[in-house]
Amino acid sequence: MNSGRRKALVGLATAATATAALLGTAAPANAAIYQCVKNDHQQPCTTVTGIDPGSYLLVRTGPGYGYSSIETAYSKLFNGDEVGLTCWTLGDGAYDNPNYHYWMSIDLPNSRWGYVNDWYLTTGSPDVWKQQLRQCP
């Protein structure tokens, strides 16, 4: 194979590798919110993450730790639990990151809903999910 053709093939392989690398880094943020069915309608969804083993994420009636939890049967979320996303708002900082003030209004089974700090959800970056979710009124 002549050196000109070899350089062209190497250049194509390098470009393909670079494109794959760029797509690979962009995919997780875009894939963090996906469509699912909650309470008989399709909506954006995500999963719970970052909860210590043996612990749970408490669903609240408002966007802060001073709000009470929703009814006990629906108030505890664990790693991997799927939730529907309605909208986002600002509230208290997360326990694990006091500077992170984003809260999500979430849909749960049996038409229940509440708020959790987004720090504990796999939604990705606010720059990404703000394009997909409305701000709560």
Side-chain angles (χ1 to χ4, degrees), residues 44-91:
C45 291
T46 195
T47 56
V48 175
T49 190
I51 306 303
D52 291 334
S55 191
Y56 53 86
L57 178 61
L58 195 59
V59 181
R60 307 233 176 226
T61 59
Y65 297 108
Y67 289 90
S68 61
S69 63
I70 65 170
E71 59 191 286
T72 304
Y74 302 97
S75 66
K76 295 178 182 178
L77 298 174
F78 301 90
N79 287 328
D81 284 352
E82 182 180 74
V83 296
L85 300 170
T86 306
C87 58
W88 66 272
T89 191
L90 296 174

Tab-separated table of all heavy atoms in Angstrom, residues 44-91:
chain	number	residue	atom	x	y	z
A	44	PRO	N	-41.099	12.201	30.846
A	44	PRO	CA	-39.665	12.044	31.112
A	44	PRO	C	-39.463	11.317	32.447
A	44	PRO	O	-40.200	11.557	33.411
A	44	PRO	CB	-39.160	13.480	31.209
A	44	PRO	CG	-40.225	14.344	30.649
A	44	PRO	CD	-41.509	13.601	30.803
A	45	CYS	N	-38.480	10.427	32.483
A	45	CYS	CA	-38.180	9.662	33.697
A	45	CYS	C	-36.681	9.600	33.933
A	45	CYS	O	-35.884	9.882	33.045
A	45	CYS	CB	-38.728	8.239	33.577
A	45	CYS	SG	-40.525	8.158	33.591
A	46	THR	N	-36.310	9.188	35.143
A	46	THR	CA	-34.914	8.965	35.502
A	46	THR	C	-34.896	8.008	36.690
A	46	THR	O	-35.941	7.541	37.136
A	46	THR	CB	-34.212	10.304	35.833
A	46	THR	OG1	-32.802	10.099	35.827
A	46	THR	CG2	-34.660	10.881	37.150
A	47	THR	N	-33.696	7.725	37.217
A	47	THR	CA	-33.587	6.812	38.354
A	47	THR	C	-32.861	7.474	39.522
A	47	THR	O	-32.134	8.445	39.356
A	47	THR	CB	-32.844	5.513	37.969
A	47	THR	OG1	-31.570	5.858	37.440
A	47	THR	CG2	-33.625	4.710	36.947
A	48	VAL	N	-33.071	6.896	40.689
A	48	VAL	CA	-32.432	7.359	41.925
A	48	VAL	C	-31.024	6.776	41.994
A	48	VAL	O	-30.802	5.620	41.633
A	48	VAL	CB	-33.265	6.917	43.148
A	48	VAL	CG1	-32.571	7.286	44.455
A	48	VAL	CG2	-34.666	7.516	43.082
A	49	THR	N	-30.081	7.575	42.495
A	49	THR	CA	-28.698	7.127	42.620
A	49	THR	C	-28.020	7.829	43.792
A	49	THR	O	-28.516	8.833	44.290
A	49	THR	CB	-27.909	7.403	41.322
A	49	THR	OG1	-26.639	6.755	41.399
A	49	THR	CG2	-27.697	8.880	41.095
A	50	GLY	N	-26.898	7.289	44.247
A	50	GLY	CA	-26.080	7.957	45.257
A	50	GLY	C	-26.579	7.835	46.677
A	50	GLY	O	-26.118	8.542	47.568
A	51	ILE	N	-27.515	6.938	46.931
A	51	ILE	CA	-28.041	6.746	48.278
A	51	ILE	C	-27.189	5.684	48.980
A	51	ILE	O	-26.913	4.628	48.410
A	51	ILE	CB	-29.525	6.311	48.232
A	51	ILE	CG1	-30.352	7.288	47.408
A	51	ILE	CG2	-30.093	6.147	49.640
A	51	ILE	CD1	-30.297	8.723	47.878
A	52	ASP	N	-26.782	5.963	50.202
A	52	ASP	CA	-25.964	5.017	50.948
A	52	ASP	C	-26.704	3.694	51.151
A	52	ASP	O	-27.922	3.694	51.356
A	52	ASP	CB	-25.600	5.584	52.324
A	52	ASP	CG	-24.631	6.748	52.230
A	52	ASP	OD1	-23.875	6.823	51.244
A	52	ASP	OD2	-24.636	7.590	53.156
A	53	PRO	N	-25.979	2.567	51.116
A	53	PRO	CA	-26.608	1.272	51.372
A	53	PRO	C	-27.342	1.302	52.725
A	53	PRO	O	-26.836	1.833	53.706
A	53	PRO	CB	-25.435	0.292	51.406
A	53	PRO	CG	-24.362	0.965	50.605
A	53	PRO	CD	-24.544	2.439	50.847
A	54	GLY	N	-28.540	0.744	52.753
A	54	GLY	CA	-29.334	0.707	53.970
A	54	GLY	C	-30.089	1.996	54.236
A	54	GLY	O	-30.803	2.107	55.226
A	55	SER	N	-29.929	2.986	53.371
A	55	SER	CA	-30.615	4.265	53.541
A	55	SER	C	-31.599	4.469	52.391
A	55	SER	O	-31.745	3.607	51.526
A	55	SER	CB	-29.585	5.394	53.579
A	55	SER	OG	-30.201	6.590	53.988
A	56	TYR	N	-32.275	5.590	52.371
A	56	TYR	CA	-33.253	5.889	51.337
A	56	TYR	C	-33.357	7.395	51.132
A	56	TYR	O	-32.914	8.180	51.956
A	56	TYR	CB	-34.631	5.309	51.706
A	56	TYR	CG	-35.103	5.731	53.077
A	56	TYR	CD1	-35.782	6.938	53.266
A	56	TYR	CD2	-34.858	4.929	54.178
A	56	TYR	CE1	-36.199	7.324	54.529
A	56	TYR	CE2	-35.268	5.319	55.445
A	56	TYR	CZ	-35.947	6.513	55.612
A	56	TYR	OH	-36.349	6.907	56.855
A	57	LEU	N	-33.962	7.776	50.017
A	57	LEU	CA	-34.225	9.164	49.688
A	57	LEU	C	-35.680	9.437	50.054
A	57	LEU	O	-36.579	8.725	49.606
A	57	LEU	CB	-33.996	9.399	48.191
A	57	LEU	CG	-34.265	10.790	47.646
A	57	LEU	CD1	-33.356	11.821	48.311
A	57	LEU	CD2	-34.071	10.802	46.137
A	58	LEU	N	-35.916	10.432	50.878
A	58	LEU	CA	-37.256	10.753	51.344
A	58	LEU	C	-37.919	11.748	50.390
A	58	LEU	O	-37.351	12.794	50.079
A	58	LEU	CB	-37.175	11.341	52.751
A	58	LEU	CG	-38.455	11.419	53.553
A	58	LEU	CD1	-39.071	10.036	53.740
A	58	LEU	CD2	-38.168	12.032	54.920
A	59	VAL	N	-39.107	11.415	49.926
A	59	VAL	CA	-39.875	12.288	49.040
A	59	VAL	C	-40.634	13.291	49.904
A	59	VAL	O	-41.331	12.920	50.838
A	59	VAL	CB	-40.863	11.475	48.170
A	59	VAL	CG1	-41.633	12.398	47.239
A	59	VAL	CG2	-40.127	10.401	47.385
A	60	ARG	N	-40.488	14.557	49.591
A	60	ARG	CA	-41.058	15.642	50.411
A	60	ARG	C	-42.233	16.322	49.709
A	60	ARG	O	-42.398	16.225	48.504
A	60	ARG	CB	-39.971	16.665	50.694
A	60	ARG	CG	-38.721	16.012	51.291
A	60	ARG	CD	-38.319	16.670	52.531
A	60	ARG	NE	-37.194	15.985	53.145
A	60	ARG	CZ	-37.168	15.700	54.420
A	60	ARG	NH1	-38.159	16.025	55.206
A	60	ARG	NH2	-36.112	15.106	54.940
A	61	THR	N	-43.012	17.065	50.489
A	61	THR	CA	-44.163	17.785	49.945
A	61	THR	C	-43.764	19.099	49.281
A	61	THR	O	-44.586	19.726	48.615
A	61	THR	CB	-45.204	18.065	51.038
A	61	THR	OG1	-44.595	18.843	52.077
A	61	THR	CG2	-45.757	16.767	51.613
A	62	GLY	N	-42.532	19.535	49.456
A	62	GLY	CA	-42.031	20.761	48.851
A	62	GLY	C	-40.538	20.660	48.627
A	62	GLY	O	-39.892	19.691	49.058
A	63	PRO	N	-39.931	21.669	47.993
A	63	PRO	CA	-38.512	21.613	47.617
A	63	PRO	C	-37.548	22.008	48.740
A	63	PRO	O	-36.795	22.965	48.621
A	63	PRO	CB	-38.438	22.586	46.449
A	63	PRO	CG	-39.480	23.605	46.763
A	63	PRO	CD	-40.592	22.847	47.430
A	64	GLY	N	-37.579	21.265	49.832
A	64	GLY	CA	-36.662	21.542	50.930
A	64	GLY	C	-36.809	20.530	52.042
A	64	GLY	O	-37.828	19.832	52.146
A	65	TYR	N	-35.795	20.461	52.895
A	65	TYR	CA	-35.790	19.481	53.983
A	65	TYR	C	-36.728	19.859	55.127
A	65	TYR	O	-37.050	19.037	55.961
A	65	TYR	CB	-34.358	19.261	54.472
A	65	TYR	CG	-33.497	18.678	53.379
A	65	TYR	CD1	-32.530	19.432	52.737
A	65	TYR	CD2	-33.690	17.375	52.953
A	65	TYR	CE1	-31.767	18.909	51.717
A	65	TYR	CE2	-32.940	16.837	51.931
A	65	TYR	CZ	-31.972	17.608	51.315
A	65	TYR	OH	-31.236	17.077	50.287
A	66	GLY	N	-37.208	21.089	55.141
A	66	GLY	CA	-38.169	21.507	56.149
A	66	GLY	C	-39.587	21.061	55.836
A	66	GLY	O	-40.466	21.116	56.696
A	67	TYR	N	-39.823	20.603	54.624
A	67	TYR	CA	-41.144	20.099	54.246
A	67	TYR	C	-41.312	18.676	54.767
A	67	TYR	O	-40.356	17.907	54.832
A	67	TYR	CB	-41.313	20.099	52.727
A	67	TYR	CG	-41.439	21.476	52.129
A	67	TYR	CD1	-40.312	22.178	51.722
A	67	TYR	CD2	-42.689	22.073	51.969
A	67	TYR	CE1	-40.424	23.446	51.164
A	67	TYR	CE2	-42.805	23.337	51.416
A	67	TYR	CZ	-41.668	24.023	51.018
A	67	TYR	OH	-41.787	25.272	50.476
A	68	SER	N	-42.521	18.314	55.111
A	68	SER	CA	-42.780	16.955	55.588
A	68	SER	C	-42.684	15.977	54.424
A	68	SER	O	-42.712	16.360	53.254
A	68	SER	CB	-44.158	16.875	56.246
A	68	SER	OG	-45.161	17.205	55.310
A	69	SER	N	-42.589	14.698	54.775
A	69	SER	CA	-42.562	13.673	53.733
A	69	SER	C	-43.994	13.391	53.281
A	69	SER	O	-44.950	13.673	54.002
A	69	SER	CB	-41.911	12.395	54.255
A	69	SER	OG	-42.666	11.842	55.306
A	70	ILE	N	-44.110	12.853	52.080
A	70	ILE	CA	-45.427	12.445	51.609
A	70	ILE	C	-45.833	11.192	52.382
A	70	ILE	O	-45.055	10.684	53.192
A	70	ILE	CB	-45.445	12.222	50.083
A	70	ILE	CG1	-44.552	11.036	49.685
A	70	ILE	CG2	-45.022	13.492	49.357
A	70	ILE	CD1	-44.712	10.607	48.231
A	71	GLU	N	-47.017	10.664	52.125
A	71	GLU	CA	-47.486	9.513	52.903
A	71	GLU	C	-46.471	8.368	52.876
A	71	GLU	O	-45.827	8.103	51.866
A	71	GLU	CB	-48.865	9.074	52.450
A	71	GLU	CG	-48.957	8.692	51.004
A	71	GLU	CD	-50.390	8.531	50.538
A	71	GLU	OE1	-51.018	7.525	50.906
A	71	GLU	OE2	-50.861	9.422	49.821
A	72	THR	N	-46.336	7.708	54.000
A	72	THR	CA	-45.283	6.733	54.260
A	72	THR	C	-45.142	5.657	53.189
A	72	THR	O	-44.027	5.302	52.815
A	72	THR	CB	-45.510	6.064	55.628
A	72	THR	OG1	-45.585	7.094	56.604
A	72	THR	CG2	-44.391	5.119	55.982
A	73	ALA	N	-46.226	5.147	52.667
A	73	ALA	CA	-46.160	4.051	51.695
A	73	ALA	C	-45.426	4.441	50.414
A	73	ALA	O	-44.954	3.577	49.678
A	73	ALA	CB	-47.566	3.563	51.364
A	74	TYR	N	-45.291	5.742	50.137
A	74	TYR	CA	-44.681	6.198	48.887
A	74	TYR	C	-43.470	7.109	49.104
A	74	TYR	O	-42.895	7.603	48.155
A	74	TYR	CB	-45.716	6.958	48.049
A	74	TYR	CG	-46.919	6.113	47.754
A	74	TYR	CD1	-48.062	6.212	48.534
A	74	TYR	CD2	-46.896	5.188	46.726
A	74	TYR	CE1	-49.169	5.415	48.272
A	74	TYR	CE2	-47.989	4.394	46.460
A	74	TYR	CZ	-49.125	4.509	47.243
A	74	TYR	OH	-50.210	3.710	46.992
A	75	SER	N	-43.076	7.319	50.343
A	75	SER	CA	-42.090	8.356	50.647
A	75	SER	C	-40.634	7.931	50.537
A	75	SER	O	-39.761	8.782	50.520
A	75	SER	CB	-42.339	8.917	52.040
A	75	SER	OG	-42.103	7.917	53.020
A	76	LYS	N	-40.339	6.643	50.447
A	76	LYS	CA	-38.949	6.187	50.444
A	76	LYS	C	-38.543	5.668	49.074
A	76	LYS	O	-39.180	4.786	48.519
A	76	LYS	CB	-38.752	5.084	51.481
A	76	LYS	CG	-38.963	5.566	52.903
A	76	LYS	CD	-38.806	4.443	53.892
A	76	LYS	CE	-39.068	4.941	55.300
A	76	LYS	NZ	-38.977	3.849	56.277
A	77	LEU	N	-37.436	6.231	48.557
A	77	LEU	CA	-36.878	5.790	47.285
A	77	LEU	C	-35.475	5.220	47.522
A	77	LEU	O	-34.733	5.718	48.366
A	77	LEU	CB	-36.791	6.953	46.295
A	77	LEU	CG	-38.114	7.601	45.906
A	77	LEU	CD1	-37.864	8.830	45.043
A	77	LEU	CD2	-39.011	6.610	45.194
A	78	PHE	N	-35.132	4.207	46.736
A	78	PHE	CA	-33.845	3.538	46.862
A	78	PHE	C	-33.094	3.603	45.534
A	78	PHE	O	-33.696	3.865	44.486
A	78	PHE	CB	-34.052	2.081	47.287
A	78	PHE	CG	-34.784	1.951	48.598
A	78	PHE	CD1	-36.168	1.870	48.631
A	78	PHE	CD2	-34.079	1.970	49.786
A	78	PHE	CE1	-36.846	1.776	49.836
A	78	PHE	CE2	-34.751	1.875	51.006
A	78	PHE	CZ	-36.141	1.781	51.028
A	79	ASN	N	-31.786	3.366	45.567
A	79	ASN	CA	-30.982	3.353	44.339
A	79	ASN	C	-31.658	2.477	43.285
A	79	ASN	O	-32.080	1.360	43.582
A	79	ASN	CB	-29.579	2.827	44.609
A	79	ASN	CG	-28.724	3.823	45.356
A	79	ASN	OD1	-28.875	5.029	45.197
A	79	ASN	ND2	-27.813	3.330	46.172
A	80	GLY	N	-31.751	2.998	42.079
A	80	GLY	CA	-32.339	2.250	40.975
A	80	GLY	C	-33.832	2.453	40.799
A	80	GLY	O	-34.379	2.090	39.760
A	81	ASP	N	-34.529	3.010	41.776
A	81	ASP	CA	-35.962	3.272	41.626
A	81	ASP	C	-36.187	4.273	40.501
A	81	ASP	O	-35.451	5.254	40.374
A	81	ASP	CB	-36.569	3.832	42.915
A	81	ASP	CG	-36.775	2.781	43.988
A	81	ASP	OD1	-36.596	1.579	43.703
A	81	ASP	OD2	-37.127	3.167	45.128
A	82	GLU	N	-37.198	4.021	39.701
A	82	GLU	CA	-37.544	4.907	38.587
A	82	GLU	C	-38.615	5.898	39.028
A	82	GLU	O	-39.569	5.527	39.705
A	82	GLU	CB	-38.070	4.077	37.422
A	82	GLU	CG	-38.410	4.886	36.193
A	82	GLU	CD	-38.924	4.024	35.070
A	82	GLU	OE1	-40.090	3.566	35.157
A	82	GLU	OE2	-38.157	3.803	34.110
A	83	VAL	N	-38.437	7.158	38.633
A	83	VAL	CA	-39.418	8.202	38.937
A	83	VAL	C	-39.718	8.996	37.673
A	83	VAL	O	-38.864	9.161	36.815
A	83	VAL	CB	-38.931	9.162	40.050
A	83	VAL	CG1	-38.749	8.420	41.368
A	83	VAL	CG2	-37.640	9.858	39.670
A	84	GLY	N	-40.954	9.478	37.582
A	84	GLY	CA	-41.333	10.376	36.495
A	84	GLY	C	-40.967	11.797	36.881
A	84	GLY	O	-41.025	12.166	38.058
A	85	LEU	N	-40.590	12.595	35.913
A	85	LEU	CA	-40.192	13.981	36.161
A	85	LEU	C	-41.258	14.924	35.619
A	85	LEU	O	-41.651	14.826	34.459
A	85	LEU	CB	-38.856	14.269	35.477
A	85	LEU	CG	-37.682	13.405	35.931
A	85	LEU	CD1	-36.485	13.624	35.006
A	85	LEU	CD2	-37.311	13.712	37.364
A	86	THR	N	-41.717	15.843	36.464
A	86	THR	CA	-42.741	16.796	36.064
A	86	THR	C	-42.121	18.144	35.731
A	86	THR	O	-42.364	18.714	34.676
A	86	THR	CB	-43.768	16.979	37.193
A	86	THR	OG1	-44.274	15.698	37.551
A	86	THR	CG2	-44.894	17.875	36.768
A	87	CYS	N	-41.314	18.675	36.665
A	87	CYS	CA	-40.695	19.989	36.490
A	87	CYS	C	-39.580	20.138	37.529
A	87	CYS	O	-39.414	19.277	38.384
A	87	CYS	CB	-41.732	21.107	36.643
A	87	CYS	SG	-42.599	21.127	38.235
A	88	TRP	N	-38.831	21.239	37.444
A	88	TRP	CA	-37.750	21.503	38.394
A	88	TRP	C	-37.978	22.858	39.055
A	88	TRP	O	-38.654	23.725	38.533
A	88	TRP	CB	-36.388	21.444	37.710
A	88	TRP	CG	-36.164	22.530	36.708
A	88	TRP	CD1	-36.491	22.504	35.383
A	88	TRP	CD2	-35.587	23.820	36.946
A	88	TRP	NE1	-36.140	23.690	34.785
A	88	TRP	CE2	-35.596	24.524	35.728
A	88	TRP	CE3	-35.076	24.446	38.086
A	88	TRP	CZ2	-35.098	25.814	35.605
A	88	TRP	CZ3	-34.588	25.740	37.954
A	88	TRP	CH2	-34.594	26.406	36.727
A	89	THR	N	-37.379	23.014	40.236
A	89	THR	CA	-37.448	24.276	40.957
A	89	THR	C	-36.213	24.401	41.843
A	89	THR	O	-35.400	23.488	41.913
A	89	THR	CB	-38.754	24.370	41.782
A	89	THR	OG1	-38.907	25.698	42.268
A	89	THR	CG2	-38.773	23.371	42.933
A	90	LEU	N	-36.086	25.507	42.524
A	90	LEU	CA	-34.966	25.720	43.447
A	90	LEU	C	-35.447	25.551	44.876
A	90	LEU	O	-36.600	25.843	45.201
A	90	LEU	CB	-34.369	27.117	43.246
A	90	LEU	CG	-33.732	27.357	41.886
A	90	LEU	CD1	-33.309	28.819	41.751
A	90	LEU	CD2	-32.557	26.434	41.655
A	91	GLY	N	-34.547	25.068	45.732
A	91	GLY	CA	-34.866	24.859	47.144
A	91	GLY	C	-33.586	24.719	47.945
A	91	GLY	O	-32.546	25.252	47.565
